[in-house]
Amino acid sequence: MKCNSQYLIIMAAAVSASLWTSKPALADDRPPPQIAVIGEGETAIAPDMAVIGLAVASEEKTARAALDANNEAMAAVLASLREMGIADKDLQTSNFSIAPVYVYPKRKSEEQKPKIVGYRVNNALTVRVRDLAKLGAIIDRSVTLGVNQGGNISFTNDDPSAAIAEARKNAVADAMARARTLTEAAGIGLGNILTISENSFSPRPMPMARAEMRMAADAVPVATGENTYRVQVNMTFELDQ
């Protein structure tokens, strides 16, 4: 009986010691007071490259005739583009199709089936133009040689890394400024950075009057504008209380 009493006393002491030592650990596990902010930064630069879609659509009574006409026009367009300094690496066929052309009955109640009256061939080309001064002339000459569809133009930059890096710096500076403003208003200090993450956004065109390019009188007028690279950062700071 005496032995059992001593065992119970030892166990109670061990449990008490365990509870006492665990209290500080629970306090240490709690995260420090924090503040989370979002910073935004952007940099605008002039584009140095354009991507344009040019397509030739040909329609004839037979698929062979439509293909021959299309091949002749597209070959002339490609030869012209190369003559104007477009490298082969910047020329890429983006779509090619051959399809019948139907004539449908005039009235829905008629039982006549649609008739094939010809064939249509479409050959689309994606062109990267690195000399923007030639862009208007390239469009004009391509249309003369047979391009009759496309024309979608997007202006971009061959290497936007420097602009994106500058936008990142601006975003971090903006986030830190916001955090300082909030903590100063609350009367508390700003501690160490705990987390930081980034979101990048594609450039959006910003037309500018000064961006009107000087072209030949017979060229298509083109305005390049600017590309804006935007970065958003999420930052979490400790609060120094």
Side-chain angles (χ1 to χ4, degrees):
M1 191 71 178
K2 183 177 180 182
C3 182
N4 290 339
S5 298
Q6 291 177 343
Y7 176 77
L8 292 174
I9 292 171
I10 293 172
M11 288 297 296
V15 171
S16 177
S18 177
L19 291 174
W20 183 83
T21 56
S22 65
K23 288 182 179 179
L26 289 174
D28 293 340
D29 287 343
R30 289 181 300 179
Q34 303 173 5
I35 181 173
V37 294
I38 297 175
E40 295 182 350
E42 62 180 37
T43 304
I45 58 174
D48 56 20
M49 184 171 65
V51 180
I52 182 172
L54 302 174
V56 176
S58 304
E59 189 174 315
E60 299 289 344
K61 290 184 178 181
T62 66
R64 178 74 264 173
L67 181 61
D68 289 344
N70 194 281
N71 288 347
E72 182 179 356
M74 183 54 75
V77 171
L78 286 169
S80 175
L81 291 171
R82 293 185 177 104
E83 288 176 2
M84 299 184 74
I86 305 299
D88 286 341
K89 67 177 181 179
D90 293 327
L91 299 171
Q92 185 176 50
T93 298
S94 54
N95 183 49
F96 181 86
S97 64
I98 302 175
V101 178
Y102 292 94
V103 169
Y104 294 88
K106 295 181 180 180
R107 298 179 182 177
K108 295 182 179 179
S109 60
E110 294 182 8
E111 295 182 357
Q112 295 179 355
K113 294 181 179 180
K115 293 182 180 180
I116 297 177
V117 296
Y119 289 85
R120 182 183 180 88
V121 174
N122 187 283
N123 192 346
L125 186 69
T126 298
V127 183
R128 285 189 290 271
V129 181
R130 300 179 186 274
D131 185 353
L132 294 180
K134 296 180 179 180
L135 181 57
I138 285 173
I139 297 172
D140 185 84
R141 191 168 177 181
S142 297
V143 171
T144 300
L145 293 173
V147 167
N148 52 13
Q149 288 187 354
N152 298 324
I153 303 175
S154 60
F155 292 100
T156 184
N157 295 92
D158 187 34
D159 183 12
S161 57
I164 295 174
E166 187 65 25
R168 286 192 181 107
K169 294 178 182 178
N170 295 338
V172 171
D174 181 55
M176 296 187 71
R178 291 172 187 245
R180 290 193 189 97
T181 300
L182 292 171
T183 51
E184 288 175 3
I188 53 179
L190 189 64
N192 296 325
I193 298 173
L194 298 177
T195 63
I196 182 170
S197 61
E198 172 197 330
N199 293 315
S200 298
F201 299 89
S202 300
R204 60 182 186 272
M206 296 179 63
M208 297 182 67
R210 67 174 179 82
E212 188 73 25
M213 300 180 66
R214 294 182 179 179
M215 304 282 185
D218 58 346
V220 177
V222 179
T224 60
E226 285 189 337
N227 289 332
T228 300
Y229 294 88
R230 182 166 167 261
V231 173
Q232 186 181 82
V233 295
N234 303 289
M235 298 183 67
T236 306
F237 299 83
E238 281 184 325
L239 291 178
D240 187 9
Q241 294 181 315

